[in-house]
C-alpha cells in the first residue's frame, strides 16, 4: 500500500486529560487548559510549538447543556499561541484527529491540538436529571424537527428503534448485550480516572430501569465532566517527540440517508468507513490487538464489531456473549479504559483515542494489553462514522 | 385531547406544507413532477432524479411499523411516560418513512410489522404531530 496516504505523514504525538468525574466543579475553560497543557507536555513539546488549534464542536453549537466548552479564540489567547490553522467542527467529525491530521499532513500546521470538553455531568445535576436533547433551543431545526416534536427527546430514543430492529432480525438478546457494560466496568476498575469503578453484574444490568426500550440505564453512556486534548504532529518532527504513535489508516464515510429516523439500517452505519479504512492498509482484522469502539450505547459497539470485520453481520451479540473474547486477556480486549459506559461520556472518540495511544505506548497501567501493536478505532454513532488503525511507532 | 409535551418544530419553506396538512389530519409528502417519486422529509428536490420541481402527494394507505421504542424517561418536566413511538413505512411509497407516536394499543403491545392507520394529535407549539393508530393486524 502506498505511503502516499496523508495519514502516514503525521503522528499522534500527545494526549492529555483534565480531572474527569461525574461532576468536576471547575469551568470548561480551566478543564480545557489543563488537558491541552498536559497533552503538549505528553508529546514532549512546548506550548510555543503549537500552531494549529481545533475543537469539537465549534463554539456555541450545543444541543445539550454542558455539551460545548471553551472558545477557540479564548483558548488561543489564554495560551498565548500564534496559529496558522484553526477549526471549530460542528459536523463531520468522523475521528477526533481527522481534520487535524489533514491540516498537518498538508503543511498548514506542524503541531496541531484538538480538544473536546464536556460538562454534561454538571449540567444534568443542575437540571435535576438528564435534559432533553435540543432543550437549549426554542424550536427543533433540521433533522431534529421530525424527532423532538413527537417525543424522540434524546439520542437513546433515536437509536432504540434500530437496536429493536437488530434484535428482531438477528435474535440478539439483552442478556448478550449486557456483557458489554459488565466487561467494560471490569476494565474501568483498573482505570483510576474512570467515573464508575465498582463491579457491575449481569443481573444488575437486567434489573436496571428501562430508558427507551430495549435500551436500559446501563446501555447508555454516563454524562461526565472532563476535557481531552490530542496533539497531531508532522512525521518529520518525530525525533523531537517523546512517544509518537502512527496513524496506519483512517477514513470517514457517510452514506445512505444520514438522519436518526431515515437510515435504512443503522446497523450498517459504520460499514462504509470501515471498508474505506481497510482499503488503505495491508493489516487485517486479525492483526488488531485492542479495539476502542464508540459506545454512546451498547448497540453501537455491536455494530462496530461487525463493521470492522471482527465478526459477520448479525453475529456480534454472540461475539460479546459471556465477555471472554472482549475482556483483557481475550482475543479482542474492548474499551480497556471502561469506555463511555463506565469511563465517562468524553464523547466523539476522544477518550477512546487517548486510550489507544496509551495502549500502544505501553502506558496503560494495570489495564495494559501486553505487546499491543495495533489498535482499531470505530468512531461515532448515529449517522457519522470514522474508522482508524493506530500502530506502535 | 391535550397537547403532548415536546419541543415544537421549526417550520420552513420546505416543511410548511407538511405541518399545514397535519393540522387537517392529512399526511402529505413531497412528489416529483418529473418522475413521480415520493419522498420524505421534503427537501425541495427529488432524491430519485434530482428534479427541482416538486408538489405534494397525500398518503392514505395503512403503514407498517419498521421499528419502535417505548420511552420511559421524563426528559421534560411535564412529559407523560411511558409512550410508544414508531417508524412507519408505506410499501407503495418506497422513499417515505415517518416517525410518530402510537395509540390504539397499550405501549407494551407495539410490535415490528404491525399495521397502523395514519393519524395526528395536538403537539407542542400548536402543531399537530404524527400519531399513528394501531390497526389490530400485522402486515
Ligand atoms: Zn424525480
Amino acid at each position: 500500500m502506498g505511503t502516499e496516504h496523508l495519514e502516514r505523514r503525521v503522528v499522534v504525538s500527545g494526549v492529555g486529560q483534565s480531572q474527569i468525574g461525574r461532576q468536576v466543579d471547575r469551568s470548561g475553560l480551566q478543564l480545557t487548559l489543563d488537558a491541552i497543557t498536559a497533552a503538549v507536555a505528553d508529546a514532549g513539546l512546548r506550548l510555543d510549538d503549537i500552531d494549529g488549534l481545533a475543537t469539537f464542536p465549534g463554539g456555541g453549537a450545543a444541543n445539550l447543556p454542558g455539551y460545548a466548552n471553551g472558545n477557540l479564540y479564548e483558548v488561543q489567547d489564554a495560551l498565548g499561541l500564534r496559529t496558522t490553522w484553526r477549526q471549530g467542527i460542528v459536523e463531520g467529525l468522523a475521528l477526533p484527529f481527522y481534520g487535524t491530521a489533514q491540516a498537518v499532513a498538508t503543511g498548514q500546521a506542524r503541531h496541531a491540538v484538538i480538544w473536546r470538553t464536556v460538562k454534561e455531568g454538571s449540567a444534568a445535576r443542575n437540571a435535576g436529571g438528564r435534559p432533553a436533547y435540543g432543550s437549549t433551543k426554542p424550536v427543533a431545526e433540521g433533522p431534529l424537527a421530525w424527532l423532538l416534536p413527537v417525543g424522540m427527546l434524546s439520542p437513546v430514543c433515536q437509536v432504540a428503534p434500530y437496536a429493536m430492529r437488530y434484535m428482531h432480525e438477528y435474535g440478539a438478546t439483552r442478556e448478550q448485550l449486557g456483557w458489554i457494560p459488565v466487561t467494560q466496568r471490569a476494565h474501568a476498575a483498573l482505570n483510576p480516572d474512570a467515573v464508575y469503578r465498582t463491579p457491575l453484574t449481569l443481573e444488575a444490568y437486567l434489573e436496571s430501569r428501562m430508558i427507551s426500550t430495549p435500551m436500559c440505564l446501563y446501555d447508555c453512556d454516563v454524562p461526565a465532566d472532563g476535557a481531552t486534548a490530542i496533539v497531531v504532529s508532522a512525521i518529520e518532527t518525530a525525533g523531537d517527540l517523546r512517544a509518537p504513535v502512527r496513524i496506519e489508516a483512517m477514513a470517514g464515510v457517510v452514506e445512505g440517508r444520514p438522519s436518526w429516523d431515515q437510515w435504512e439500517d443503522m446497523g450498517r452505519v459504520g460499514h462504509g468507513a470501515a471498508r474505506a479504512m481497510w482499503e488503505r492498509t495491508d493489516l487485517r482484522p486479525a492483526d488488531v490487538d485492542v479495539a476502542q469502539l464508540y459506545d454512546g450505547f451498547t448497540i453501537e459497539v455491536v455494530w462496530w464489531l461487525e463493521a470492522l470485520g471482527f465478526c459477520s453481520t448479525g453475529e456480534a451479540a454472540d461475539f460479546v456473549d459471556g465477555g471472554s473474547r472482549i475482556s483483557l486477556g481475550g482475543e479482542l480486549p474492548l474499551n480497556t479504559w471502561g469506555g463511555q459506559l463506565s469511563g465517562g461520556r468524553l464523547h466523539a472518540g476522544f477518550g477512546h483515542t487517548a486510550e489507544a495511544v496509551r495502549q500502544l505506548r505501553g502506558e496503560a497501567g494495570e489495564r495494559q494489553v501486553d505487546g499491543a501493536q495495533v489498535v482499531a478505532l470505530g468512531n461515532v454513532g448515529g449517522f457519522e462514522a470514522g474508522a482508524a488503525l493506530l500502530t506502535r511507532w | 385531547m391535550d397537547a403532548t409535551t415536546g419541543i415544537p418544530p421549526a417550520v420552513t419553506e420546505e416543511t410548511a406544507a407538511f405541518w399545514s396538512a397535519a393540522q387537517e389530519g392529512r399526511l402529505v409528502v413531497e412528489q416529483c413532477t418529473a418522475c413521480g417519486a415520493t419522498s420524505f422529509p421534503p427537501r425541495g428536490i427529488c432524491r430519485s432524479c434530482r428534479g427541482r420541481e416538486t408538489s405534494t402527494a397525500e398518503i392514505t394507505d395503512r403503514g407498517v411499523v419498521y421499528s419502535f421504542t417505548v420511552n420511559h424517561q421524563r426528559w421534560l418536566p411535564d412529559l407523560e411516560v411511558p409512550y410508544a413511538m414508531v417508524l412507519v413505512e408505506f410499501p407503495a411509497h418506497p422513499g417515505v418513512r415517518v416517525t410518530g407516536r402510537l395509540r390504539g394499543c397499550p405501549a407494551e403491545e407495539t410490535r415490528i410489522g404491525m399495521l397502523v392507520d395514519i393519524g395526528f394529535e395536538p403537539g407542542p407549539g400548536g402543531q399537530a404531530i404524527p400519531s399513528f393508530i394501531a390497526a389490530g393486524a400485522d402486515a
Side-chain angles (χ1 to χ4, degrees):
Chain A
M1 280 288 156
T3 49
E4 74 278 9
H5 289 329
L6 67 81
E7 59 268 46
R8 311 256 175 100
R9 298 183 202 150
V10 303
V11 291
V12 179
S13 53
V15 292
Q17 290 176 309
S18 69
Q19 184 187 343
I20 293 161
R22 194 80 163 96
Q23 283 96 23
V24 179
D25 284 322
R26 298 186 64 216
S27 72
L29 177 60
Q30 296 311 305
L31 296 179
T32 301
L33 296 174
D34 283 353
I36 292 176
T37 51
V40 172
D42 180 69
L45 296 169
R46 297 169 306 126
L47 279 163
D48 287 340
D49 295 323
I50 301 302
D51 55 3
L53 196 58
T55 186
F56 172 81
N63 284 312
L64 278 167
Y67 185 80
N69 298 270
N71 173 286
L72 199 71
Y73 305 104
E74 208 170 37
V75 169
Q76 170 158 341
D77 183 55
L79 295 172
L81 305 179
R82 174 182 182 274
T83 57
T84 55
W85 177 83
R86 297 153 303 286
Q87 191 174 56
I89 309 157
V90 180
E91 293 155 334
L93 186 95
L95 295 153
F97 46 83
Y98 196 57
T100 42
Q102 290 164 358
V104 173
T106 54
Q108 296 172 76
R110 202 163 160 83
H111 301 286
V113 180
I114 180 161
W115 84 82
R116 172 90 182 97
T117 302
V118 287
K119 289 276 294 175
E120 293 184 312
S122 287
R125 177 193 60 189
N126 297 343
R130 183 79 165 147
Y133 191 78
S135 60
T136 53
K137 295 175 183 170
V139 293
E141 295 177 341
L144 294 176
W146 307 106
L147 301 170
L148 304 184
V150 303
M152 288 236 166
L153 290 161
S154 170
V156 61
C157 303
Q158 296 157 11
V159 80
Y162 295 95
M164 190 72 84
R165 182 80 196 191
Y166 180 91
M167 293 164 85
H168 172 82
E169 286 190 16
Y170 301 112
T173 65
R174 291 191 61 226
E175 284 76 4
Q176 293 176 310
L177 286 187
W179 285 102
I180 295 169
V182 167
T183 304
Q184 291 189 194
R185 180 64 64 87
H187 296 164
L190 304 175
N191 173 12
D193 295 323
V195 173
Y196 288 133
R197 304 183 62 203
T198 53
L200 175 70
T201 63
L202 188 63
E203 292 68 31
Y205 166 86
L206 292 170
E207 286 165 14
S208 72
R209 68 192 165 85
M210 195 51 76
I211 304 292
S212 199
T213 59
M215 297 279 99
C216 72
L217 182 65
Y218 294 118
D219 287 307
C220 306
D221 58 6
V222 52
D225 291 357
T228 303
I230 297 164
V231 189
V232 173
S233 298
I235 200 159
E236 59 268 25
T237 70
D240 305 331
L241 304 171
R242 186 182 71 79
V245 158
R246 293 182 194 274
I247 306 176
E248 166 71 14
M250 69 175 194
V253 174
V254 172
E255 56 192 1
R257 297 196 65 187
S259 72
W260 284 105
D261 53 332
Q262 298 299 329
W263 251 93
E264 290 84 347
D265 173 7
M266 196 161 275
R268 299 191 67 80
V269 70
H271 285 235
R275 195 181 319 115
M277 188 273 287
W278 288 121
E279 284 171 6
R280 297 171 79 84
T281 177
D282 291 330
L283 295 176
R284 305 277 49 113
D287 298 316
V288 173
D289 301 306
V290 189
Q292 305 294 337
L293 306 182
Y294 190 74
D295 60 338
F297 305 104
T298 51
I299 191 69
E300 294 173 320
V301 172
V302 166
W303 295 335
W304 273 117
L305 285 169
E306 296 175 358
L308 285 163
F310 297 120
C311 54
S312 304
T313 299
E315 291 180 356
D318 288 335
F319 189 86
V320 302
D321 201 349
S324 59
R325 287 194 183 89
I326 57 173
S327 293
L328 285 167
E331 65 188 75
L332 188 70
L334 168 72
N335 291 339
T336 43
W337 58 294
Q340 294 190 173
L341 298 173
S342 286
R345 180 180 147 84
L346 304 178
H347 198 221
F350 282 75
H352 299 83
T353 299
E355 177 71 1
V357 169
R358 288 171 182 149
Q359 287 286 350
L360 290 169
R361 287 168 167 174
E363 296 176 355
E366 284 189 80
R367 60 186 192 278
Q368 179 65 46
V369 174
D370 288 340
Q373 301 279 336
V374 181
V375 179
L377 288 165
N379 195 46
V380 199
F383 39 86
E384 182 60 70
L389 291 184
L390 300 187
T391 56
R392 180 174 280 193
W393 179 254
Chain B
M1 203 186 295
D2 285 345
T4 56
T5 300
I7 295 170
V11 179
T12 66
E13 175 183 338
E14 292 80 15
T15 66
F18 173 88
W19 294 110
S20 146
Q23 294 283 1
E24 301 163 5
R26 297 187 304 120
L27 174 62
V28 302
V29 299
E30 203 166 61
Q31 182 162 40
C32 176
T33 15
C35 79
T38 47
S39 184
F40 181 84
R43 304 268 188 238
I45 187 168
C46 173
R47 289 190 307 104
S48 293
C49 75
R50 299 195 173 112
R52 296 299 306 276
E53 244 185 73
T54 60
S55 61
T56 56
E58 181 173 355
I59 295 183
T60 55
D61 325 3
R62 276 191 168 166
V64 183
V65 172
Y66 167 76
S67 196
F68 70 97
T69 185
V70 179
N71 176 57
H72 292 261
Q73 179 81 6
R74 199 172 309 247
W75 304 104
L76 294 167
D78 299 323
L79 190 67
E80 281 181 35
V81 293
Y83 56 88
M85 292 172 287
V86 285
L87 276 55
V88 175
E89 296 184 335
F90 299 89
H93 302 273
V96 177
R97 181 195 285 170
V98 180
T99 302
R101 293 216 179 189
L102 180 74
R103 56 200 155 105
C105 75
E108 63 273 17
E109 287 177 20
T110 315
R111 290 183 315 280
I112 287 171
M114 71 195 285
L115 286 170
V116 294
D117 289 314
I118 290 166
F120 291 82
E121 67 177 292
Q127 300 290 346
I129 57 165
S131 174
F132 296 94
I133 304 145
D138 283 358

